[in-house]
Amino acid sequence: MTDSPALPSVNRAWHLVTRPVGWPKPEDFALVEAEVPTPRDGQVLVRNLYVSVDPYMRGRMSAAKSYADPYELNKPMLGGAVGEVVASRAEGFAVGDHVLHSFGWREYAALDAKNAVKVDPDAAPLSTYLGVLGMTGLTAYVGLLRTASFQEGDTVFVSGAAGAVGSQVGQIAKLKGASRVIGSAGSDEKVGLLVDEYGFDAAFNYKDGPVSKQLRAAAPDGIDVYFDNVGGEHLEAAIGSLNLNGRIAICGAISVYNNTEPAPGPKNLARLIQTRGRIEGFLVGDHYDLQPQFVEEVGPWVASGALKYRETVVEGIENNLEAFLGVLRGDNTGKMIVKI
Ligand SMILES: NC(=O)c1ccc[n+]([C@@H]2O[C@H](COP(=O)([O-])OP(=O)(O)OC[C@H]3O[C@@H](n4cnc5c(N)ncnc54)[C@H](OP(=O)(O)O)[C@@H]3O)[C@@H](O)[C@H]2O)c1
């Protein structure tokens, strides 16, 4: 076993204490102090440096069965994190190694080495393994290229376009020869960023008026692909603007994650008959076979600046919850990350 010389004795971790109904409230959570865990044989102790907060975590706060198990009450919550190994009882892992794992929402984590993936801090900034080169980046890549079967010349519309996934969808589409890329976001500042920095052809603030009207103005010849991060009114508007053989990739539905009543479905599904349109949901977890191709293609774009990214970084484990709530509110531009 190898150890860092001085480790603190106290570990802070966020627990879910009540299952939220509607918007999560601070009382539904607690930042709990416990001893720093001791790694067992085959485990590493990791000091988390960057912790991810993601919209899908809202789903895990509910008891309903889904693709990811519900968070257990009064236990540390889970989520992506990158940290430094500070003690190792596992072959192949040494103190000082950096690893990606799924025991976020806490300062220290003892985990089986088989659940840790080494990352190279010299190859890319550590936080990017949670965002542009990590899960959200891969989500954009597989959703656009595989699920939506993107083709050169397509007109692409993406919602949540200034967020972690959406900002990459639009830029990858441009880099791969989209004829027109349109994005929607929730502030004029974000809309400006899409056009001025990310090279979108058009963008609009969905809070300014009906999405269908704004989309028709931005895409007068219709859209071939819609990458849906939002659901609700956006999805209905996209179906309304879909061209012949159009494709819709359902990635997320953040506009309904805090609903207490089932959201009404799109009223215009029959348009899919006329357009021979296809709507398909996907989960990034089913597509890790594309990870090497993603890293090979997107890594150089990120390194050269051809694909730009932003991160909204909140400091301190005590602000982990506020950062998560901020994602639901739209406080973030690009990937929301907590720096510990
Ligand atoms: N299928 C998968 O495997 C997979 C994997 C990762 C993520 N996702 C989904 O992809 C979507 C984007 O995730 P992300 O990590 O990139 O998050 P993100 O876009 O970085 O952050 C969420 C954004 O959603 C927007 N938003 C919040 N409420 C909204 C509403 N009512 N209407 C429209 N926009 C709203 C906010 O931006 P504005 O300021 O623009 O409102 C906020 O910044 C989420 O739905 C997530 O669940 C799915």
Side-chain angles (χ1 to χ4, degrees):
M1 158 146 176
T2 54
D3 266 346
S4 274
L7 286 178
S9 55
V10 175
N11 184 24
R12 289 179 295 171
W14 282 95
H15 291 199
L16 182 68
V17 295
T18 337
R19 301 212 179 272
V21 178
W23 275 83
K25 298 178 293 303
E27 311 84 86
D28 298 324
F29 306 86
L31 183 59
V32 175
E33 292 192 355
E35 278 180 27
V36 171
T38 307
R40 296 189 303 267
D41 272 350
Q43 289 196 322
V44 287
L45 179 67
V46 179
R47 180 166 73 88
N48 284 337
L49 301 172
Y50 294 97
V51 165
S52 185
V53 281
D54 298 271
Y56 80 88
M57 292 168 172
R58 177 64 188 87
R60 299 192 72 178
M61 292 170 190
S62 303
K65 198 170 172 342
S66 184
Y67 56 89
D69 289 337
Y71 287 137
E72 288 184 62
L73 293 181
N74 302 306
K75 293 260 177 69
M77 292 192 289
L78 301 165
V82 174
E84 183 181 2
V85 173
V86 291
S88 174
R89 296 190 62 170
E91 216 169 291
F93 287 82
V95 169
D97 284 348
H98 290 89
V99 291
L100 173 69
H101 61 88
S102 59
F103 296 84
W105 288 94
R106 70 195 80 185
E107 292 172 300
Y108 288 87
L111 55 124
D112 294 346
K114 66 175 188 311
N115 295 324
V117 176
K118 278 193 204 174
V119 292
D120 180 358
D122 297 323
L126 282 175
S127 58
T128 60
Y129 294 105
L130 298 173
V132 68
L133 294 175
M135 184 276 281
T136 54
L138 182 64
T139 301
Y141 190 80
V142 304
L144 180 69
L145 302 184
R146 181 175 271 173
T147 310
S149 311
F150 170 82
Q151 312 273 318
E152 202 181 322
D154 279 347
T155 293
V156 175
F157 172 46
V158 56
S159 53
V165 174
S167 57
Q168 249 173 297
V169 170
Q171 291 183 79
I172 294 171
K174 282 300 282 188
L175 285 161
K176 285 194 157 283
S179 62
R180 188 168 175 78
V181 171
I182 301 124
S184 70
S187 75
D188 293 347
E189 203 187 336
K190 289 182 182 182
V191 165
L193 178 78
L194 296 179
V195 176
D196 300 337
E197 196 169 318
Y198 296 156
F200 283 49
D201 299 285
F204 60 85
N205 181 343
Y206 66 85
K207 294 174 181 166
D208 279 352
V211 177
S212 55
K213 198 167 154 207
Q214 297 200 74
L215 179 57
R216 270 198 303 276
D221 297 327
I223 59 171
D224 304 301
V225 166
Y226 172 48
F227 191 108
D228 191 15
N229 286 313
V230 162
E233 188 193 351
H234 272 87
L235 177 56
E236 191 166 294
I239 295 170
S241 277
L242 206 63
N243 289 336
L244 190 66
N245 298 125
R247 290 134 275 143
I248 296 180
I250 304 286
C251 175
I254 196 165
S255 73
V256 304
Y257 288 173
N258 288 312
N259 281 12
T260 48
E261 298 294 327
K267 289 195 287 285
N268 53 355
L269 279 177
R271 253 204 113 244
L272 297 177
I273 305 163
Q274 170 191 338
T275 59
R276 288 71 147 180
R278 169 164 68 81
I279 302 191
E280 187 175 325
F282 73 99
L283 269 179
V284 64
D286 296 336
H287 298 277
Y288 270 82
D289 61 301
L290 282 187
Q291 167 106 1
Q293 183 185 319
F294 160 70
V295 171
E296 196 175 312
E297 190 163 21
V298 174
W301 285 338
V302 174
S304 71
L307 193 153
K308 299 182 176 57
Y309 69 95
R310 293 263 183 115
E311 291 173 347
T312 300
V313 180
V314 169
E315 300 226 356
I317 187 75
E318 61 281 4
N319 294 316
N320 201 147
L321 174 61
E322 210 25 51
F324 168 71
L325 297 175
V327 171
L328 300 181
R329 286 190 299 257
D331 293 355
N332 60 309
T333 301
K335 181 79 187 87
M336 181 70 105
I337 290 196
V338 183
K339 184 175 182 199
I340 309 280

mmCIF file with all atom_site columns, all heavy atoms in Angstrom, residues 210-232:
data_model
loop_
_atom_site.group_PDB
_atom_site.id
_atom_site.type_symbol
_atom_site.label_atom_id
_atom_site.label_alt_id
_atom_site.label_comp_id
_atom_site.label_asym_id
_atom_site.label_entity_id
_atom_site.label_seq_id
_atom_site.pdbx_PDB_ins_code
_atom_site.Cartn_x
_atom_site.Cartn_y
_atom_site.Cartn_z
_atom_site.occupancy
_atom_site.B_iso_or_equiv
_atom_site.pdbx_formal_charge
_atom_site.auth_seq_id
_atom_site.auth_comp_id
_atom_site.auth_asym_id
_atom_site.auth_atom_id
_atom_site.pdbx_PDB_model_num
ATOM 1   N N   . PRO A 1 210 ? -43.042 32.172 -28.870 1.00 0.00 ? 210 PRO A N   1
ATOM 2   C CA  . PRO A 1 210 ? -43.252 30.761 -29.216 1.00 0.00 ? 210 PRO A CA  1
ATOM 3   C C   . PRO A 1 210 ? -42.053 30.175 -29.969 1.00 0.00 ? 210 PRO A C   1
ATOM 4   O O   . PRO A 1 210 ? -41.538 30.801 -30.907 1.00 0.00 ? 210 PRO A O   1
ATOM 5   C CB  . PRO A 1 210 ? -44.494 30.798 -30.112 1.00 0.00 ? 210 PRO A CB  1
ATOM 6   C CG  . PRO A 1 210 ? -45.180 32.075 -29.785 1.00 0.00 ? 210 PRO A CG  1
ATOM 7   C CD  . PRO A 1 210 ? -44.100 33.047 -29.365 1.00 0.00 ? 210 PRO A CD  1
ATOM 8   N N   . VAL A 1 211 ? -41.637 28.981 -29.562 1.00 0.00 ? 211 VAL A N   1
ATOM 9   C CA  . VAL A 1 211 ? -40.474 28.336 -30.190 1.00 0.00 ? 211 VAL A CA  1
ATOM 10  C C   . VAL A 1 211 ? -40.775 28.066 -31.661 1.00 0.00 ? 211 VAL A C   1
ATOM 11  O O   . VAL A 1 211 ? -39.919 28.264 -32.528 1.00 0.00 ? 211 VAL A O   1
ATOM 12  C CB  . VAL A 1 211 ? -40.103 27.028 -29.444 1.00 0.00 ? 211 VAL A CB  1
ATOM 13  C CG1 . VAL A 1 211 ? -38.953 26.314 -30.130 1.00 0.00 ? 211 VAL A CG1 1
ATOM 14  C CG2 . VAL A 1 211 ? -39.758 27.326 -27.991 1.00 0.00 ? 211 VAL A CG2 1
ATOM 15  N N   . SER A 1 212 ? -42.005 27.638 -31.962 1.00 0.00 ? 212 SER A N   1
ATOM 16  C CA  . SER A 1 212 ? -42.329 27.270 -33.358 1.00 0.00 ? 212 SER A CA  1
ATOM 17  C C   . SER A 1 212 ? -42.131 28.477 -34.279 1.00 0.00 ? 212 SER A C   1
ATOM 18  O O   . SER A 1 212 ? -41.564 28.346 -35.368 1.00 0.00 ? 212 SER A O   1
ATOM 19  C CB  . SER A 1 212 ? -43.753 26.740 -33.454 1.00 0.00 ? 212 SER A CB  1
ATOM 20  O OG  . SER A 1 212 ? -44.638 27.685 -32.909 1.00 0.00 ? 212 SER A OG  1
ATOM 21  N N   . LYS A 1 213 ? -42.561 29.635 -33.812 1.00 0.00 ? 213 LYS A N   1
ATOM 22  C CA  . LYS A 1 213 ? -42.453 30.845 -34.636 1.00 0.00 ? 213 LYS A CA  1
ATOM 23  C C   . LYS A 1 213 ? -40.981 31.233 -34.815 1.00 0.00 ? 213 LYS A C   1
ATOM 24  O O   . LYS A 1 213 ? -40.531 31.543 -35.931 1.00 0.00 ? 213 LYS A O   1
ATOM 25  C CB  . LYS A 1 213 ? -43.227 31.962 -33.931 1.00 0.00 ? 213 LYS A CB  1
ATOM 26  C CG  . LYS A 1 213 ? -43.576 33.096 -34.807 1.00 0.00 ? 213 LYS A CG  1
ATOM 27  C CD  . LYS A 1 213 ? -44.610 33.998 -34.125 1.00 0.00 ? 213 LYS A CD  1
ATOM 28  C CE  . LYS A 1 213 ? -44.469 35.398 -34.691 1.00 0.00 ? 213 LYS A CE  1
ATOM 29  N NZ  . LYS A 1 213 ? -44.887 36.421 -33.770 1.00 0.00 ? 213 LYS A NZ  1
ATOM 30  N N   . GLN A 1 214 ? -40.248 31.179 -33.732 1.00 0.00 ? 214 GLN A N   1
ATOM 31  C CA  . GLN A 1 214 ? -38.828 31.582 -33.801 1.00 0.00 ? 214 GLN A CA  1
ATOM 32  C C   . GLN A 1 214 ? -38.028 30.580 -34.640 1.00 0.00 ? 214 GLN A C   1
ATOM 33  O O   . GLN A 1 214 ? -37.103 30.962 -35.359 1.00 0.00 ? 214 GLN A O   1
ATOM 34  C CB  . GLN A 1 214 ? -38.242 31.689 -32.397 1.00 0.00 ? 214 GLN A CB  1
ATOM 35  C CG  . GLN A 1 214 ? -38.906 32.766 -31.544 1.00 0.00 ? 214 GLN A CG  1
ATOM 36  C CD  . GLN A 1 214 ? -38.014 33.169 -30.375 1.00 0.00 ? 214 GLN A CD  1
ATOM 37  O OE1 . GLN A 1 214 ? -37.020 33.859 -30.554 1.00 0.00 ? 214 GLN A OE1 1
ATOM 38  N NE2 . GLN A 1 214 ? -38.366 32.735 -29.184 1.00 0.00 ? 214 GLN A NE2 1
ATOM 39  N N   . LEU A 1 215 ? -38.401 29.307 -34.531 1.00 0.00 ? 215 LEU A N   1
ATOM 40  C CA  . LEU A 1 215 ? -37.682 28.295 -35.321 1.00 0.00 ? 215 LEU A CA  1
ATOM 41  C C   . LEU A 1 215 ? -37.976 28.464 -36.814 1.00 0.00 ? 215 LEU A C   1
ATOM 42  O O   . LEU A 1 215 ? -37.059 28.371 -37.647 1.00 0.00 ? 215 LEU A O   1
ATOM 43  C CB  . LEU A 1 215 ? -38.073 26.886 -34.835 1.00 0.00 ? 215 LEU A CB  1
ATOM 44  C CG  . LEU A 1 215 ? -37.430 25.717 -35.572 1.00 0.00 ? 215 LEU A CG  1
ATOM 45  C CD1 . LEU A 1 215 ? -35.892 25.789 -35.518 1.00 0.00 ? 215 LEU A CD1 1
ATOM 46  C CD2 . LEU A 1 215 ? -37.910 24.373 -35.015 1.00 0.00 ? 215 LEU A CD2 1
ATOM 47  N N   . ARG A 1 216 ? -39.226 28.720 -37.141 1.00 0.00 ? 216 ARG A N   1
ATOM 48  C CA  . ARG A 1 216 ? -39.568 28.915 -38.566 1.00 0.00 ? 216 ARG A CA  1
ATOM 49  C C   . ARG A 1 216 ? -38.803 30.097 -39.157 1.00 0.00 ? 216 ARG A C   1
ATOM 50  O O   . ARG A 1 216 ? -38.338 30.057 -40.287 1.00 0.00 ? 216 ARG A O   1
ATOM 51  C CB  . ARG A 1 216 ? -41.076 29.115 -38.737 1.00 0.00 ? 216 ARG A CB  1
ATOM 52  C CG  . ARG A 1 216 ? -41.819 27.789 -38.954 1.00 0.00 ? 216 ARG A CG  1
ATOM 53  C CD  . ARG A 1 216 ? -43.209 27.994 -39.555 1.00 0.00 ? 216 ARG A CD  1
ATOM 54  N NE  . ARG A 1 216 ? -44.044 28.855 -38.744 1.00 0.00 ? 216 ARG A NE  1
ATOM 55  C CZ  . ARG A 1 216 ? -44.759 28.439 -37.685 1.00 0.00 ? 216 ARG A CZ  1
ATOM 56  N NH1 . ARG A 1 216 ? -44.731 27.150 -37.347 1.00 0.00 ? 216 ARG A NH1 1
ATOM 57  N NH2 . ARG A 1 216 ? -45.486 29.281 -36.996 1.00 0.00 ? 216 ARG A NH2 1
ATOM 58  N N   . ALA A 1 217 ? -38.635 31.142 -38.340 1.00 0.00 ? 217 ALA A N   1
ATOM 59  C CA  . ALA A 1 217 ? -37.903 32.324 -38.831 1.00 0.00 ? 217 ALA A CA  1
ATOM 60  C C   . ALA A 1 217 ? -36.416 31.991 -39.012 1.00 0.00 ? 217 ALA A C   1
ATOM 61  O O   . ALA A 1 217 ? -35.774 32.445 -39.959 1.00 0.00 ? 217 ALA A O   1
ATOM 62  C CB  . ALA A 1 217 ? -38.076 33.476 -37.856 1.00 0.00 ? 217 ALA A CB  1
ATOM 63  N N   . ALA A 1 218 ? -35.882 31.171 -38.118 1.00 0.00 ? 218 ALA A N   1
ATOM 64  C CA  . ALA A 1 218 ? -34.445 30.846 -38.174 1.00 0.00 ? 218 ALA A CA  1
ATOM 65  C C   . ALA A 1 218 ? -34.146 29.768 -39.218 1.00 0.00 ? 218 ALA A C   1
ATOM 66  O O   . ALA A 1 218 ? -33.027 29.699 -39.730 1.00 0.00 ? 218 ALA A O   1
ATOM 67  C CB  . ALA A 1 218 ? -33.970 30.382 -36.795 1.00 0.00 ? 218 ALA A CB  1
ATOM 68  N N   . ALA A 1 219 ? -35.148 28.933 -39.505 1.00 0.00 ? 219 ALA A N   1
ATOM 69  C CA  . ALA A 1 219 ? -34.956 27.834 -40.470 1.00 0.00 ? 219 ALA A CA  1
ATOM 70  C C   . ALA A 1 219 ? -36.101 27.850 -41.471 1.00 0.00 ? 219 ALA A C   1
ATOM 71  O O   . ALA A 1 219 ? -36.952 26.955 -41.466 1.00 0.00 ? 219 ALA A O   1
ATOM 72  C CB  . ALA A 1 219 ? -34.894 26.496 -39.734 1.00 0.00 ? 219 ALA A CB  1
ATOM 73  N N   . PRO A 1 220 ? -36.133 28.855 -42.353 1.00 0.00 ? 220 PRO A N   1
ATOM 74  C CA  . PRO A 1 220 ? -37.285 28.972 -43.262 1.00 0.00 ? 220 PRO A CA  1
ATOM 75  C C   . PRO A 1 220 ? -37.452 27.766 -44.185 1.00 0.00 ? 220 PRO A C   1
ATOM 76  O O   . PRO A 1 220 ? -38.552 27.483 -44.631 1.00 0.00 ? 220 PRO A O   1
ATOM 77  C CB  . PRO A 1 220 ? -36.972 30.250 -44.061 1.00 0.00 ? 220 PRO A CB  1
ATOM 78  C CG  . PRO A 1 220 ? -35.577 30.659 -43.720 1.00 0.00 ? 220 PRO A CG  1
ATOM 79  C CD  . PRO A 1 220 ? -35.150 29.941 -42.502 1.00 0.00 ? 220 PRO A CD  1
ATOM 80  N N   . ASP A 1 221 ? -36.359 27.041 -44.458 1.00 0.00 ? 221 ASP A N   1
ATOM 81  C CA  . ASP A 1 221 ? -36.459 25.853 -45.318 1.00 0.00 ? 221 ASP A CA  1
ATOM 82  C C   . ASP A 1 221 ? -36.605 24.563 -44.514 1.00 0.00 ? 221 ASP A C   1
ATOM 83  O O   . ASP A 1 221 ? -36.398 23.461 -45.040 1.00 0.00 ? 221 ASP A O   1
ATOM 84  C CB  . ASP A 1 221 ? -35.230 25.759 -46.233 1.00 0.00 ? 221 ASP A CB  1
ATOM 85  C CG  . ASP A 1 221 ? -35.145 26.956 -47.176 1.00 0.00 ? 221 ASP A CG  1
ATOM 86  O OD1 . ASP A 1 221 ? -36.217 27.458 -47.576 1.00 0.00 ? 221 ASP A OD1 1
ATOM 87  O OD2 . ASP A 1 221 ? -34.022 27.417 -47.466 1.00 0.00 ? 221 ASP A OD2 1
ATOM 88  N N   . GLY A 1 222 ? -36.899 24.679 -43.226 1.00 0.00 ? 222 GLY A N   1
ATOM 89  C CA  . GLY A 1 222 ? -37.096 23.499 -42.394 1.00 0.00 ? 222 GLY A CA  1
ATOM 90  C C   . GLY A 1 222 ? -35.787 22.937 -41.857 1.00 0.00 ? 222 GLY A C   1
ATOM 91  O O   . GLY A 1 222 ? -34.696 23.456 -42.141 1.00 0.00 ? 222 GLY A O   1
ATOM 92  N N   . ILE A 1 223 ? -35.917 21.865 -41.075 1.00 0.00 ? 223 ILE A N   1
ATOM 93  C CA  . ILE A 1 223 ? -34.731 21.233 -40.459 1.00 0.00 ? 223 ILE A CA  1
ATOM 94  C C   . ILE A 1 223 ? -34.692 19.745 -40.820 1.00 0.00 ? 223 ILE A C   1
ATOM 95  O O   . ILE A 1 223 ? -35.730 19.117 -41.015 1.00 0.00 ? 223 ILE A O   1
ATOM 96  C CB  . ILE A 1 223 ? -34.735 21.412 -38.920 1.00 0.00 ? 223 ILE A CB  1
ATOM 97  C CG1 . ILE A 1 223 ? -35.993 20.785 -38.288 1.00 0.00 ? 223 ILE A CG1 1
ATOM 98  C CG2 . ILE A 1 223 ? -34.626 22.884 -38.536 1.00 0.00 ? 223 ILE A CG2 1
ATOM 99  C CD1 . ILE A 1 223 ? -35.967 20.732 -36.770 1.00 0.00 ? 223 ILE A CD1 1
ATOM 100 N N   . ASP A 1 224 ? -33.493 19.230 -40.921 1.00 0.00 ? 224 ASP A N   1
ATOM 101 C CA  . ASP A 1 224 ? -33.326 17.798 -41.214 1.00 0.00 ? 224 ASP A CA  1
ATOM 102 C C   . ASP A 1 224 ? -33.071 17.005 -39.935 1.00 0.00 ? 224 ASP A C   1
ATOM 103 O O   . ASP A 1 224 ? -33.388 15.819 -39.846 1.00 0.00 ? 224 ASP A O   1
ATOM 104 C CB  . ASP A 1 224 ? -32.145 17.596 -42.177 1.00 0.00 ? 224 ASP A CB  1
ATOM 105 C CG  . ASP A 1 224 ? -32.330 18.398 -43.448 1.00 0.00 ? 224 ASP A CG  1
ATOM 106 O OD1 . ASP A 1 224 ? -33.351 18.172 -44.128 1.00 0.00 ? 224 ASP A OD1 1
ATOM 107 O OD2 . ASP A 1 224 ? -31.494 19.283 -43.732 1.00 0.00 ? 224 ASP A OD2 1
ATOM 108 N N   . VAL A 1 225 ? -32.434 17.663 -38.957 1.00 0.00 ? 225 VAL A N   1
ATOM 109 C CA  . VAL A 1 225 ? -32.099 17.004 -37.684 1.00 0.00 ? 225 VAL A CA  1
ATOM 110 C C   . VAL A 1 225 ? -32.499 17.923 -36.545 1.00 0.00 ? 225 VAL A C   1
ATOM 111 O O   . VAL A 1 225 ? -32.245 19.124 -36.590 1.00 0.00 ? 225 VAL A O   1
ATOM 112 C CB  . VAL A 1 225 ? -30.568 16.721 -37.602 1.00 0.00 ? 225 VAL A CB  1
ATOM 113 C CG1 . VAL A 1 225 ? -30.162 16.356 -36.169 1.00 0.00 ? 225 VAL A CG1 1
ATOM 114 C CG2 . VAL A 1 225 ? -30.176 15.597 -38.556 1.00 0.00 ? 225 VAL A CG2 1
ATOM 115 N N   . TYR A 1 226 ? -33.130 17.322 -35.542 1.00 0.00 ? 226 TYR A N   1
ATOM 116 C CA  . TYR A 1 226 ? -33.336 18.048 -34.277 1.00 0.00 ? 226 TYR A CA  1
ATOM 117 C C   . TYR A 1 226 ? -32.702 17.231 -33.156 1.00 0.00 ? 226 TYR A C   1
ATOM 118 O O   . TYR A 1 226 ? -33.021 16.052 -32.980 1.00 0.00 ? 226 TYR A O   1
ATOM 119 C CB  . TYR A 1 226 ? -34.825 18.267 -33.987 1.00 0.00 ? 226 TYR A CB  1
ATOM 120 C CG  . TYR A 1 226 ? -35.066 18.840 -32.597 1.00 0.00 ? 226 TYR A CG  1
ATOM 121 C CD1 . TYR A 1 226 ? -34.330 19.937 -32.136 1.00 0.00 ? 226 TYR A CD1 1
ATOM 122 C CD2 . TYR A 1 226 ? -36.005 18.278 -31.732 1.00 0.00 ? 226 TYR A CD2 1
ATOM 123 C CE1 . TYR A 1 226 ? -34.524 20.455 -30.857 1.00 0.00 ? 226 TYR A CE1 1
ATOM 124 C CE2 . TYR A 1 226 ? -36.215 18.803 -30.455 1.00 0.00 ? 226 TYR A CE2 1
ATOM 125 C CZ  . TYR A 1 226 ? -35.468 19.879 -30.025 1.00 0.00 ? 226 TYR A CZ  1
ATOM 126 O OH  . TYR A 1 226 ? -35.648 20.390 -28.762 1.00 0.00 ? 226 TYR A OH  1
ATOM 127 N N   . PHE A 1 227 ? -31.794 17.861 -32.418 1.00 0.00 ? 227 PHE A N   1
ATOM 128 C CA  . PHE A 1 227 ? -31.166 17.219 -31.261 1.00 0.00 ? 227 PHE A CA  1
ATOM 129 C C   . PHE A 1 227 ? -31.857 17.814 -30.036 1.00 0.00 ? 227 PHE A C   1
ATOM 130 O O   . PHE A 1 227 ? -31.681 18.981 -29.709 1.00 0.00 ? 227 PHE A O   1
ATOM 131 C CB  . PHE A 1 227 ? -29.667 17.525 -31.248 1.00 0.00 ? 227 PHE A CB  1
ATOM 132 C CG  . PHE A 1 227 ? -28.879 16.715 -30.249 1.00 0.00 ? 227 PHE A CG  1
ATOM 133 C CD1 . PHE A 1 227 ? -28.025 15.704 -30.670 1.00 0.00 ? 227 PHE A CD1 1
ATOM 134 C CD2 . PHE A 1 227 ? -28.984 16.971 -28.882 1.00 0.00 ? 227 PHE A CD2 1
ATOM 135 C CE1 . PHE A 1 227 ? -27.289 14.959 -29.742 1.00 0.00 ? 227 PHE A CE1 1
ATOM 136 C CE2 . PHE A 1 227 ? -28.252 16.229 -27.958 1.00 0.00 ? 227 PHE A CE2 1
ATOM 137 C CZ  . PHE A 1 227 ? -27.397 15.226 -28.389 1.00 0.00 ? 227 PHE A CZ  1
ATOM 138 N N   . ASP A 1 228 ? -32.652 16.983 -29.360 1.00 0.00 ? 228 ASP A N   1
ATOM 139 C CA  . ASP A 1 228 ? -33.533 17.492 -28.302 1.00 0.00 ? 228 ASP A CA  1
ATOM 140 C C   . ASP A 1 228 ? -32.933 17.304 -26.913 1.00 0.00 ? 228 ASP A C   1
ATOM 141 O O   . ASP A 1 228 ? -32.763 16.189 -26.444 1.00 0.00 ? 228 ASP A O   1
ATOM 142 C CB  . ASP A 1 228 ? -34.882 16.765 -28.373 1.00 0.00 ? 228 ASP A CB  1
ATOM 143 C CG  . ASP A 1 228 ? -35.929 17.420 -27.485 1.00 0.00 ? 228 ASP A CG  1
ATOM 144 O OD1 . ASP A 1 228 ? -35.712 18.567 -27.048 1.00 0.00 ? 228 ASP A OD1 1
ATOM 145 O OD2 . ASP A 1 228 ? -36.975 16.784 -27.239 1.00 0.00 ? 228 ASP A OD2 1
ATOM 146 N N   . ASN A 1 229 ? -32.644 18.421 -26.260 1.00 0.00 ? 229 ASN A N   1
ATOM 147 C CA  . ASN A 1 229 ? -32.177 18.381 -24.869 1.00 0.00 ? 229 ASN A CA  1
ATOM 148 C C   . ASN A 1 229 ? -33.269 18.807 -23.898 1.00 0.00 ? 229 ASN A C   1
ATOM 149 O O   . ASN A 1 229 ? -33.059 18.773 -22.696 1.00 0.00 ? 229 ASN A O   1
ATOM 150 C CB  . ASN A 1 229 ? -30.991 19.349 -24.699 1.00 0.00 ? 229 ASN A CB  1
ATOM 151 C CG  . ASN A 1 229 ? -29.726 18.803 -25.315 1.00 0.00 ? 229 ASN A CG  1
ATOM 152 O OD1 . ASN A 1 229 ? -29.385 17.633 -25.097 1.00 0.00 ? 229 ASN A OD1 1
ATOM 153 N ND2 . ASN A 1 229 ? -29.025 19.618 -26.085 1.00 0.00 ? 229 ASN A ND2 1
ATOM 154 N N   . VAL A 1 230 ? -34.403 19.214 -24.430 1.00 0.00 ? 230 VAL A N   1
ATOM 155 C CA  . VAL A 1 230 ? -35.346 19.997 -23.643 1.00 0.00 ? 230 VAL A CA  1
ATOM 156 C C   . VAL A 1 230 ? -36.749 19.399 -23.570 1.00 0.00 ? 230 VAL A C   1
ATOM 157 O O   . VAL A 1 230 ? -37.413 19.482 -22.545 1.00 0.00 ? 230 VAL A O   1
ATOM 158 C CB  . VAL A 1 230 ? -35.359 21.425 -24.260 1.00 0.00 ? 230 VAL A CB  1
ATOM 159 C CG1 . VAL A 1 230 ? -36.573 22.203 -23.837 1.00 0.00 ? 230 VAL A CG1 1
ATOM 160 C CG2 . VAL A 1 230 ? -34.085 22.184 -23.875 1.00 0.00 ? 230 VAL A CG2 1
ATOM 161 N N   . GLY A 1 231 ? -37.238 18.816 -24.665 1.00 0.00 ? 231 GLY A N   1
ATOM 162 C CA  . GLY A 1 231 ? -38.598 18.270 -24.699 1.00 0.00 ? 231 GLY A CA  1
ATOM 163 C C   . GLY A 1 231 ? -39.646 19.370 -24.797 1.00 0.00 ? 231 GLY A C   1
ATOM 164 O O   . GLY A 1 231 ? -39.352 20.513 -25.164 1.00 0.00 ? 231 GLY A O   1
ATOM 165 N N   . GLY A 1 232 ? -40.889 19.021 -24.468 1.00 0.00 ? 232 GLY A N   1
ATOM 166 C CA  . GLY A 1 232 ? -41.986 19.984 -24.378 1.00 0.00 ? 232 GLY A CA  1
ATOM 167 C C   . GLY A 1 232 ? -42.211 20.759 -25.667 1.00 0.00 ? 232 GLY A C   1
ATOM 168 O O   . GLY A 1 232 ? -42.258 20.199 -26.767 1.00 0.00 ? 232 GLY A O   1
#
